[in-house]
Structures are given as C-alpha cells and as structure tokens.
Amino acid sequence: MYLLGSRVYVKCSRCHFALCLREAQRCQSSAAPLEQADFLKGAPHRNHPGVTNLKTVHLPEQLQVAAQSVLQGADVKSLTERAHKLSNFLWSRKRAIETSQLREKASFFERKFLEQERDKDGNDHKLEARIRNRVLSELRKTTYHRTPLRYNEDLGLVYMAARLAGGYAAVLRALHEIKKRDPLFVPYSLMDFGSGLGTGTWASHSLWGDSLKEYVCVDSSGDMNTLAEQLLRGGSEMDNPVIKQVYFRQFLPVSPKVQFDLVVAAFSLSELDTLNERLNVIFTLWRKTNSYLIVIQKGPNDNQQ
C-alpha cells in the first residue's frame, strides 16, 4: 500500500471517468441510453491513460552484485532460514497498542469481572484486589506485545537477504507512478526517512539518474547506514560509490528551512511506537517536502486490538 502526497494535485483520468459515468447514469432517464465517449479510439484496453502497470522489476545489476558480494564476505549461518523467518515476522507484525486503547480494555474487563463478582461474598478490599489481578491477567493474555527490532550488523544482513528486492520494487513502483503522471517533474534532491538499505536512493536514481544531485538517507541504525553505504560501493569499503552525493544521517535535519524535492518514508512509520509519534513524523516530513511526499506502508494486522 502506498500513498502519494504532493503540493500539485494529480487526478486519475480513469477514476474521474468512472465517477462521471456514475453521475451521468443517475441523471439520465431510463428511456435515454447513455452515450459513452470512445477514449481509446479502438486501441487495446492496456493503452487506457489510467493504466500505469509497471513491468517486472529487477534489481539494478550493480546493487545485486554488491549484495551478493557482501553476503558472501560475511558468511552468515542459516541465512536462508533466518531470512524466511524474518520476512514472515515483519509481515505478521502488529502495531503497539495505544495507552488509551489499553485503558479502554482494562475498563471493559473491570466492568465485566465486577458484574461476575457482584453476588459473591467478601469484603471490598479483597474484591478490589481480586478484580485487579484478573484484569491484569486478561490484559497480558489478550494484548499484543510488540517486540522492538534493533538492526545491528548481523540482523541487517538477514534483512537484506529477506527484503532488499521487495523494498526496492515497492519504492520504484511509487516513484514510477509520479514520473508517469508528472513527466515534467525532475527532482534535484531526495530525503529517505528510515532509509535502511538505501532502496529509495537506488530506485530514484534508476528513474532520474544524474538529475538528482543530493541524497540524504536518515536511519537510526548506524550499522544499517554502514551496510547501505557498502552497497553503494559495490560491496567494498574502498571503491568509489556507484551513486554520488549520498549522505547518511541518524537524525532528521534540524533546520525547518531545509526542503527536498522528493521525501520518501518506506516501511518506517510502523516502527514508531505511538500514533502521536507517527503523526509528528508525517508533519515534519511534509514540512521538508518541496514537491512530493511518498509514504509506503503495509496494512496493519490489528484485529486483536
């Protein structure tokens, strides 16, 4: 799932046509058949202006070679198995429960248990303690306990094996939508929040090449930044980087005046613990956006909350 934010409003011609068609059908009488304009002029449906399907995505050859070189040099044990487990863990992971939601659940269980205990004997002190213990026990059993991830050098390599190709494809698809819908847009600068392996840098460079003069990658993990920089250098710490002018940071730029033509946040908002944190980051990223803000995130699995 991806969301595209821009200061320039872009309208999907296919969706717009469908809306107009429904409105026209409500206005037409049953006796007057609707006349439809032939937008395609006999051309195949795949040429419809609203279709923006991207062909099969392949990793850039230099990125693929660099990743293989890094993994071979690291010699990670049980890499395939660990990458499969990590991939499943990431896709089944849920957001941490909010404090307000936790209070609501506690109040619900308290009312429920009080109703059950109403006709039993016992003084108020014992009843209160018994209810409190039952509420805490039920909360422990029914509340999702989110495990924080700390991407050190070892876990970063496993993550690369599990998610490098998928992460690159997701970012490239979102950026491809922008390039097709706004062909005159040529970005000069990019900021990637939660940059991880640097897939935002590789994807944007594959579409706009040397027109991008500055890439700022922000990730709280220093080890992940080191790994991303190593990929840019072909798997070696000594070679010149494939993409120039890439800067790695562990924190967002402080100055509110610093803006970027493209701002990307891919699979990073879900790593923040609370809704307020996510909203604050979104507002901060929007203030740093000069043209397009791209947010890519999988849907949550929050049925238990």
Side-chain angles (χ1 to χ4, degrees):
M1 179 181 71
Y2 58 86
L3 305 174
L4 304 183
S6 168
R7 300 190 191 279
V8 179
Y9 177 71
V10 179
K11 184 184 297 180
C12 175
S13 57
R14 177 172 53 180
C15 297
H16 177 61
F17 171 67
L19 175 61
C20 292
L21 179 58
R22 288 194 294 271
E23 293 293 337
Q25 286 174 331
R26 282 196 283 266
C27 297
Q28 292 272 348
S29 67
S30 59
L34 176 66
E35 295 183 4
Q36 299 184 24
D38 184 9
F39 288 103
L40 296 178
K41 301 185 187 313
H45 175 72
R46 62 177 176 272
N47 294 334
H48 191 289
V51 175
T52 58
N53 291 335
L54 187 63
K55 295 181 180 180
T56 303
V57 175
H58 299 279
L59 284 177
E61 183 177 355
Q62 292 167 308
L63 176 57
Q64 187 170 350
V65 170
Q68 291 174 345
S69 174
V70 170
L71 291 175
Q72 290 172 358
D75 191 24
V76 183
K77 295 182 179 179
S78 304
L79 178 61
T80 302
E81 181 182 355
R82 292 178 64 190
H84 181 70
K85 288 182 178 179
L86 179 60
S87 182
N88 289 339
F89 173 76
L90 291 174
W91 286 109
S92 62
R93 205 167 179 226
K94 303 174 180 64
R95 293 180 298 192
I97 189 170
E98 298 288 330
T99 302
S100 58
Q101 293 175 307
L102 193 60
R103 289 199 186 102
E104 289 178 6
K105 289 184 68 173
S107 298
F108 169 78
F109 289 132
E110 184 178 14
R111 292 192 300 269
K112 176 182 176 181
F113 297 146
L114 277 172
E115 184 69 21
Q116 294 174 356
E117 298 275 355
R118 185 173 54 184
D119 298 330
K120 295 183 180 180
D121 295 331
N123 59 53
D124 291 339
H125 176 70
K126 289 184 178 181
L127 176 61
E128 182 179 349
R130 189 162 61 248
I131 292 296
R132 181 173 62 252
N133 290 336
R134 289 188 66 185
V135 168
L136 292 175
S137 176
E138 196 67 21
L139 286 176
R140 282 193 292 268
K141 290 188 294 184
T142 60
T143 302
Y144 177 75
H145 300 282
R146 183 181 176 87
T147 304
L149 286 176
R150 298 290 181 263
Y151 286 100
N152 54 23
E153 182 179 356
D154 182 67
L155 187 57
L157 292 170
V158 177
Y159 181 84
M160 181 172 67
R163 292 295 305 148
L164 178 62
Y168 173 82
V171 177
L172 184 70
R173 172 58 192 267
L175 297 178
H176 175 264
E177 291 278 344
I178 292 176
K179 186 169 184 179
K180 184 164 184 176
R181 295 173 184 269
D182 190 2
L184 298 180
F185 171 68
V186 179
Y188 178 86
S189 57
L190 164 80
M191 183 178 73
D192 189 357
F193 175 77
S195 54
L197 300 168
T199 50
T201 294
W202 285 93
S204 58
H205 183 267
S206 68
L207 292 175
W208 288 287
D210 294 335
S211 68
L212 276 161
K213 304 298 182 183
E214 180 185 22
Y215 305 79
V216 176
C217 298
V218 181
D219 198 290
S220 60
S221 170
D223 289 325
M224 205 61 135
N225 287 336
T226 300
L227 179 56
E229 187 172 12
Q230 193 173 356
L231 290 175
L232 287 172
R233 296 180 181 276
S236 170
E237 296 182 358
M238 302 301 294
D239 294 340
N240 291 325
V242 176
I243 305 173
K244 312 294 184 183
Q245 307 300 325
V246 181
Y247 306 97
F248 293 92
R249 302 284 186 269
Q250 288 184 270
F251 303 97
L252 285 168
V254 176
S255 174
K257 296 181 180 180
V258 177
Q259 286 193 324
F260 302 85
D261 296 330
L262 279 174
V263 176
V264 178
F267 308 108
S268 54
L269 293 181
S270 59
E271 296 302 314
L272 302 176
D273 290 331
T274 67
L275 176 61
N276 283 337
E277 286 183 272
R278 292 189 286 272
L279 289 176
N280 287 336
V281 167
I282 284 292
F283 290 141
T284 299
L285 295 179
W286 182 243
R287 287 194 295 268
K288 296 187 177 302
T289 301
N290 185 41
S291 295
Y292 285 98
L293 168 62
I294 303 100
V295 177
I296 305 171
Q297 195 65 50
K298 84 176 189 70
N301 302 307
D302 291 342
N303 293 333
Q304 88 293 341
Q305 296 180 6

